[in-house]
């Protein structure tokens, strides 16, 4: 395999993932807007938020629900492992 092929594939996959993320955000916004109209502005109840900020190798995890924090940690581990694999992939091939 040629290195330019692998780099091109990585660039194409990153663009596809970025576009998929944008599409998912738009779908979520449209869905939540529709739910607002359907509920006639009633009180919805509890909502959960959370996230991860990576500053170098140090993750900062935040959230207001323990299950959201657990999912954020699991997804962060998966993304970091994927990043390491993809960073070492050109050296392996």
């Amino acid at each position: 395999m040629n290195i330019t092929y692998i780099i091109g594939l990585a660039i194409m996959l990153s663009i596809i993932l970025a576009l998929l993320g944008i599409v998912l955000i738009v779908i979520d916004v449209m869905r939540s807007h529709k739910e607002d109209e359907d509920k006639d502005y009633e009180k919805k109840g509890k909502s959960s938020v959370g996230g991860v900020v990576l500053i170098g190798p140090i993750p900062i995890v935040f959230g207001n629900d323990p299950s959201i924090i657990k999912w954020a940690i699991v997804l962060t581990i998966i993304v970091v492992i994927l990043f390491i694999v993809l960073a070492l992939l050109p050296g392996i091939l």
Side-chain angles (χ1 to χ4, degrees), residues 1-16 85-93:
M1 283 189 155
N2 193 357
I3 190 73
T4 56
Y5 173 75
I6 294 172
I7 292 173
L9 183 64
I11 291 171
M12 184 179 66
L13 287 174
S14 65
I15 291 171
I16 289 171
V85 167
L86 289 176
L88 295 177
L89 190 62
I92 294 172
L93 299 176

PDB file of all heavy atoms in Angstrom, residues 1-16 85-93:
ATOM      1  N   MET A   1       0.831  -1.186   0.000  1.00  0.00           N
ATOM      2  CA  MET A   1       0.000   0.000   0.000  1.00  0.00           C
ATOM      3  C   MET A   1       0.873   1.246   0.000  1.00  0.00           C
ATOM      4  O   MET A   1       1.872   1.302   0.705  1.00  0.00           O
ATOM      5  CB  MET A   1      -0.904   0.045   1.221  1.00  0.00           C
ATOM      6  CG  MET A   1      -2.072  -0.857   1.148  1.00  0.00           C
ATOM      7  SD  MET A   1      -3.163  -0.477   2.536  1.00  0.00           S
ATOM      8  CE  MET A   1      -4.658  -1.043   1.858  1.00  0.00           C
ATOM      9  N   ASN A   2       0.421   2.194  -0.729  1.00  0.00           N
ATOM     10  CA  ASN A   2       1.136   3.451  -0.825  1.00  0.00           C
ATOM     11  C   ASN A   2       0.731   4.370   0.329  1.00  0.00           C
ATOM     12  O   ASN A   2      -0.423   4.395   0.743  1.00  0.00           O
ATOM     13  CB  ASN A   2       0.792   4.092  -2.171  1.00  0.00           C
ATOM     14  CG  ASN A   2       1.703   5.222  -2.518  1.00  0.00           C
ATOM     15  OD1 ASN A   2       2.580   5.589  -1.741  1.00  0.00           O
ATOM     16  ND2 ASN A   2       1.494   5.794  -3.677  1.00  0.00           N
ATOM     17  N   ILE A   3       1.685   5.145   0.840  1.00  0.00           N
ATOM     18  CA  ILE A   3       1.404   6.029   1.967  1.00  0.00           C
ATOM     19  C   ILE A   3       0.413   7.114   1.580  1.00  0.00           C
ATOM     20  O   ILE A   3      -0.404   7.546   2.383  1.00  0.00           O
ATOM     21  CB  ILE A   3       2.711   6.617   2.555  1.00  0.00           C
ATOM     22  CG1 ILE A   3       2.454   7.333   3.877  1.00  0.00           C
ATOM     23  CG2 ILE A   3       3.364   7.559   1.583  1.00  0.00           C
ATOM     24  CD1 ILE A   3       2.171   6.423   4.991  1.00  0.00           C
ATOM     25  N   THR A   4       0.478   7.572   0.336  1.00  0.00           N
ATOM     26  CA  THR A   4      -0.468   8.605  -0.092  1.00  0.00           C
ATOM     27  C   THR A   4      -1.888   8.063  -0.126  1.00  0.00           C
ATOM     28  O   THR A   4      -2.836   8.796   0.148  1.00  0.00           O
ATOM     29  CB  THR A   4      -0.088   9.166  -1.472  1.00  0.00           C
ATOM     30  OG1 THR A   4      -0.012   8.092  -2.411  1.00  0.00           O
ATOM     31  CG2 THR A   4       1.242   9.891  -1.420  1.00  0.00           C
ATOM     32  N   TYR A   5      -2.035   6.782  -0.434  1.00  0.00           N
ATOM     33  CA  TYR A   5      -3.358   6.157  -0.418  1.00  0.00           C
ATOM     34  C   TYR A   5      -3.913   6.128   1.004  1.00  0.00           C
ATOM     35  O   TYR A   5      -5.085   6.431   1.240  1.00  0.00           O
ATOM     36  CB  TYR A   5      -3.280   4.746  -0.994  1.00  0.00           C
ATOM     37  CG  TYR A   5      -4.567   3.970  -0.866  1.00  0.00           C
ATOM     38  CD1 TYR A   5      -5.646   4.244  -1.694  1.00  0.00           C
ATOM     39  CD2 TYR A   5      -4.708   2.974   0.098  1.00  0.00           C
ATOM     40  CE1 TYR A   5      -6.838   3.551  -1.574  1.00  0.00           C
ATOM     41  CE2 TYR A   5      -5.891   2.277   0.229  1.00  0.00           C
ATOM     42  CZ  TYR A   5      -6.949   2.560  -0.616  1.00  0.00           C
ATOM     43  OH  TYR A   5      -8.133   1.875  -0.493  1.00  0.00           O
ATOM     44  N   ILE A   6      -3.076   5.776   1.965  1.00  0.00           N
ATOM     45  CA  ILE A   6      -3.511   5.699   3.359  1.00  0.00           C
ATOM     46  C   ILE A   6      -3.865   7.089   3.883  1.00  0.00           C
ATOM     47  O   ILE A   6      -4.882   7.266   4.568  1.00  0.00           O
ATOM     48  CB  ILE A   6      -2.422   5.041   4.226  1.00  0.00           C
ATOM     49  CG1 ILE A   6      -2.247   3.577   3.809  1.00  0.00           C
ATOM     50  CG2 ILE A   6      -2.766   5.139   5.702  1.00  0.00           C
ATOM     51  CD1 ILE A   6      -1.080   2.894   4.451  1.00  0.00           C
ATOM     52  N   ILE A   7      -3.057   8.077   3.566  1.00  0.00           N
ATOM     53  CA  ILE A   7      -3.346   9.443   4.009  1.00  0.00           C
ATOM     54  C   ILE A   7      -4.629   9.945   3.368  1.00  0.00           C
ATOM     55  O   ILE A   7      -5.468  10.567   4.029  1.00  0.00           O
ATOM     56  CB  ILE A   7      -2.152  10.371   3.703  1.00  0.00           C
ATOM     57  CG1 ILE A   7      -0.956   9.983   4.575  1.00  0.00           C
ATOM     58  CG2 ILE A   7      -2.532  11.838   3.916  1.00  0.00           C
ATOM     59  CD1 ILE A   7       0.314  10.717   4.240  1.00  0.00           C
ATOM     60  N   GLY A   8      -4.813   9.670   2.091  1.00  0.00           N
ATOM     61  CA  GLY A   8      -6.050  10.065   1.416  1.00  0.00           C
ATOM     62  C   GLY A   8      -7.261   9.394   2.032  1.00  0.00           C
ATOM     63  O   GLY A   8      -8.316  10.019   2.202  1.00  0.00           O
ATOM     64  N   LEU A   9      -7.120   8.125   2.383  1.00  0.00           N
ATOM     65  CA  LEU A   9      -8.214   7.398   3.030  1.00  0.00           C
ATOM     66  C   LEU A   9      -8.527   7.988   4.403  1.00  0.00           C
ATOM     67  O   LEU A   9      -9.699   8.155   4.765  1.00  0.00           O
ATOM     68  CB  LEU A   9      -7.845   5.919   3.164  1.00  0.00           C
ATOM     69  CG  LEU A   9      -8.900   4.988   3.758  1.00  0.00           C
ATOM     70  CD1 LEU A   9     -10.122   4.934   2.846  1.00  0.00           C
ATOM     71  CD2 LEU A   9      -8.324   3.597   3.945  1.00  0.00           C
ATOM     72  N   ALA A  10      -7.494   8.331   5.158  1.00  0.00           N
ATOM     73  CA  ALA A  10      -7.706   8.934   6.480  1.00  0.00           C
ATOM     74  C   ALA A  10      -8.389  10.292   6.359  1.00  0.00           C
ATOM     75  O   ALA A  10      -9.285  10.613   7.145  1.00  0.00           O
ATOM     76  CB  ALA A  10      -6.368   9.070   7.215  1.00  0.00           C
ATOM     77  N   ILE A  11      -7.994  11.079   5.384  1.00  0.00           N
ATOM     78  CA  ILE A  11      -8.627  12.385   5.172  1.00  0.00           C
ATOM     79  C   ILE A  11     -10.079  12.205   4.773  1.00  0.00           C
ATOM     80  O   ILE A  11     -10.968  12.899   5.281  1.00  0.00           O
ATOM     81  CB  ILE A  11      -7.847  13.199   4.128  1.00  0.00           C
ATOM     82  CG1 ILE A  11      -6.493  13.614   4.689  1.00  0.00           C
ATOM     83  CG2 ILE A  11      -8.639  14.428   3.675  1.00  0.00           C
ATOM     84  CD1 ILE A  11      -5.565  14.238   3.681  1.00  0.00           C
ATOM     85  N   MET A  12     -10.351  11.252   3.880  1.00  0.00           N
ATOM     86  CA  MET A  12     -11.719  11.012   3.446  1.00  0.00           C
ATOM     87  C   MET A  12     -12.592  10.542   4.617  1.00  0.00           C
ATOM     88  O   MET A  12     -13.714  11.009   4.794  1.00  0.00           O
ATOM     89  CB  MET A  12     -11.753   9.965   2.330  1.00  0.00           C
ATOM     90  CG  MET A  12     -13.141   9.729   1.766  1.00  0.00           C
ATOM     91  SD  MET A  12     -13.172   8.532   0.442  1.00  0.00           S
ATOM     92  CE  MET A  12     -12.701   7.050   1.286  1.00  0.00           C
ATOM     93  N   LEU A  13     -12.068   9.643   5.441  1.00  0.00           N
ATOM     94  CA  LEU A  13     -12.828   9.167   6.600  1.00  0.00           C
ATOM     95  C   LEU A  13     -13.082  10.282   7.612  1.00  0.00           C
ATOM     96  O   LEU A  13     -14.168  10.356   8.191  1.00  0.00           O
ATOM     97  CB  LEU A  13     -12.094   8.009   7.269  1.00  0.00           C
ATOM     98  CG  LEU A  13     -12.127   6.676   6.522  1.00  0.00           C
ATOM     99  CD1 LEU A  13     -11.242   5.661   7.232  1.00  0.00           C
ATOM    100  CD2 LEU A  13     -13.535   6.160   6.404  1.00  0.00           C
ATOM    101  N   SER A  14     -12.107  11.161   7.814  1.00  0.00           N
ATOM    102  CA  SER A  14     -12.310  12.258   8.758  1.00  0.00           C
ATOM    103  C   SER A  14     -13.361  13.235   8.252  1.00  0.00           C
ATOM    104  O   SER A  14     -14.173  13.735   9.032  1.00  0.00           O
ATOM    105  CB  SER A  14     -10.992  12.976   9.040  1.00  0.00           C
ATOM    106  OG  SER A  14     -10.514  13.603   7.856  1.00  0.00           O
ATOM    107  N   ILE A  15     -13.383  13.496   6.955  1.00  0.00           N
ATOM    108  CA  ILE A  15     -14.413  14.374   6.387  1.00  0.00           C
ATOM    109  C   ILE A  15     -15.784  13.732   6.512  1.00  0.00           C
ATOM    110  O   ILE A  15     -16.763  14.388   6.889  1.00  0.00           O
ATOM    111  CB  ILE A  15     -14.078  14.717   4.921  1.00  0.00           C
ATOM    112  CG1 ILE A  15     -12.841  15.615   4.871  1.00  0.00           C
ATOM    113  CG2 ILE A  15     -15.262  15.397   4.233  1.00  0.00           C
ATOM    114  CD1 ILE A  15     -12.299  15.841   3.479  1.00  0.00           C
ATOM    115  N   ILE A  16     -15.872  12.434   6.231  1.00  0.00           N
ATOM    116  CA  ILE A  16     -17.151  11.726   6.351  1.00  0.00           C
ATOM    117  C   ILE A  16     -17.650  11.752   7.795  1.00  0.00           C
ATOM    118  O   ILE A  16     -18.828  11.994   8.053  1.00  0.00           O
ATOM    119  CB  ILE A  16     -17.022  10.279   5.824  1.00  0.00           C
ATOM    120  CG1 ILE A  16     -16.864  10.285   4.297  1.00  0.00           C
ATOM    121  CG2 ILE A  16     -18.222   9.432   6.232  1.00  0.00           C
ATOM    122  CD1 ILE A  16     -16.522   8.936   3.716  1.00  0.00           C
ATOM    123  N   VAL A  85      -4.004   3.948  17.201  1.00  0.00           N
ATOM    124  CA  VAL A  85      -3.907   2.943  16.128  1.00  0.00           C
ATOM    125  C   VAL A  85      -3.694   3.640  14.782  1.00  0.00           C
ATOM    126  O   VAL A  85      -2.827   3.245  13.998  1.00  0.00           O
ATOM    127  CB  VAL A  85      -5.143   2.032  16.100  1.00  0.00           C
ATOM    128  CG1 VAL A  85      -5.207   1.205  14.828  1.00  0.00           C
ATOM    129  CG2 VAL A  85      -5.150   1.131  17.323  1.00  0.00           C
ATOM    130  N   LEU A  86      -4.461   4.681  14.513  1.00  0.00           N
ATOM    131  CA  LEU A  86      -4.334   5.377  13.243  1.00  0.00           C
ATOM    132  C   LEU A  86      -3.012   6.140  13.148  1.00  0.00           C
ATOM    133  O   LEU A  86      -2.448   6.275  12.059  1.00  0.00           O
ATOM    134  CB  LEU A  86      -5.505   6.337  13.029  1.00  0.00           C
ATOM    135  CG  LEU A  86      -6.838   5.673  12.748  1.00  0.00           C
ATOM    136  CD1 LEU A  86      -7.949   6.712  12.652  1.00  0.00           C
ATOM    137  CD2 LEU A  86      -6.790   4.842  11.488  1.00  0.00           C
ATOM    138  N   ALA A  87      -2.494   6.626  14.277  1.00  0.00           N
ATOM    139  CA  ALA A  87      -1.194   7.315  14.255  1.00  0.00           C
ATOM    140  C   ALA A  87      -0.056   6.340  14.002  1.00  0.00           C
ATOM    141  O   ALA A  87       0.937   6.686  13.363  1.00  0.00           O
ATOM    142  CB  ALA A  87      -0.987   8.045  15.580  1.00  0.00           C
ATOM    143  N   LEU A  88      -0.188   5.107  14.500  1.00  0.00           N
ATOM    144  CA  LEU A  88       0.884   4.116  14.303  1.00  0.00           C
ATOM    145  C   LEU A  88       0.725   3.329  13.010  1.00  0.00           C
ATOM    146  O   LEU A  88       1.633   2.629  12.606  1.00  0.00           O
ATOM    147  CB  LEU A  88       0.907   3.144  15.497  1.00  0.00           C
ATOM    148  CG  LEU A  88       1.282   3.759  16.844  1.00  0.00           C
ATOM    149  CD1 LEU A  88       1.185   2.709  17.931  1.00  0.00           C
ATOM    150  CD2 LEU A  88       2.662   4.371  16.798  1.00  0.00           C
ATOM    151  N   LEU A  89      -0.427   3.428  12.371  1.00  0.00           N
ATOM    152  CA  LEU A  89      -0.720   2.629  11.174  1.00  0.00           C
ATOM    153  C   LEU A  89       0.284   2.867  10.039  1.00  0.00           C
ATOM    154  O   LEU A  89       0.767   1.900   9.454  1.00  0.00           O
ATOM    155  CB  LEU A  89      -2.146   2.903  10.690  1.00  0.00           C
ATOM    156  CG  LEU A  89      -2.689   1.993   9.611  1.00  0.00           C
ATOM    157  CD1 LEU A  89      -2.736   0.563  10.120  1.00  0.00           C
ATOM    158  CD2 LEU A  89      -4.062   2.439   9.198  1.00  0.00           C
ATOM    159  N   PRO A  90       0.678   4.113   9.702  1.00  0.00           N
ATOM    160  CA  PRO A  90       1.656   4.275   8.620  1.00  0.00           C
ATOM    161  C   PRO A  90       3.007   3.636   8.952  1.00  0.00           C
ATOM    162  O   PRO A  90       3.695   3.143   8.064  1.00  0.00           O
ATOM    163  CB  PRO A  90       1.802   5.794   8.482  1.00  0.00           C
ATOM    164  CG  PRO A  90       0.519   6.333   8.984  1.00  0.00           C
ATOM    165  CD  PRO A  90       0.101   5.399  10.086  1.00  0.00           C
ATOM    166  N   GLY A  91       3.394   3.600  10.222  1.00  0.00           N
ATOM    167  CA  GLY A  91       4.653   2.965  10.604  1.00  0.00           C
ATOM    168  C   GLY A  91       4.599   1.459  10.503  1.00  0.00           C
ATOM    169  O   GLY A  91       5.593   0.788  10.270  1.00  0.00           O
ATOM    170  N   ILE A  92       3.398   0.890  10.687  1.00  0.00           N
ATOM    171  CA  ILE A  92       3.240  -0.565  10.627  1.00  0.00           C
ATOM    172  C   ILE A  92       3.266  -1.048   9.171  1.00  0.00           C
ATOM    173  O   ILE A  92       3.868  -2.058   8.858  1.00  0.00           O
ATOM    174  CB  ILE A  92       1.933  -0.990  11.315  1.00  0.00           C
ATOM    175  CG1 ILE A  92       2.017  -0.683  12.806  1.00  0.00           C
ATOM    176  CG2 ILE A  92       1.646  -2.465  11.088  1.00  0.00           C
ATOM    177  CD1 ILE A  92       0.713  -0.880  13.551  1.00  0.00           C
ATOM    178  N   LEU A  93       2.591  -0.301   8.314  1.00  0.00           N
ATOM    179  CA  LEU A  93       2.529  -0.705   6.903  1.00  0.00           C
ATOM    180  C   LEU A  93       3.811  -0.308   6.251  1.00  0.00           C
ATOM    181  O   LEU A  93       4.319  -0.607   5.346  1.00  0.00           O
ATOM    182  CB  LEU A  93       1.339  -0.045   6.222  1.00  0.00           C
ATOM    183  CG  LEU A  93      -0.020  -0.420   6.812  1.00  0.00           C
ATOM    184  CD1 LEU A  93      -1.111   0.370   6.107  1.00  0.00           C
ATOM    185  CD2 LEU A  93      -0.298  -1.895   6.652  1.00  0.00           C
TER     186      LEU A  93
END
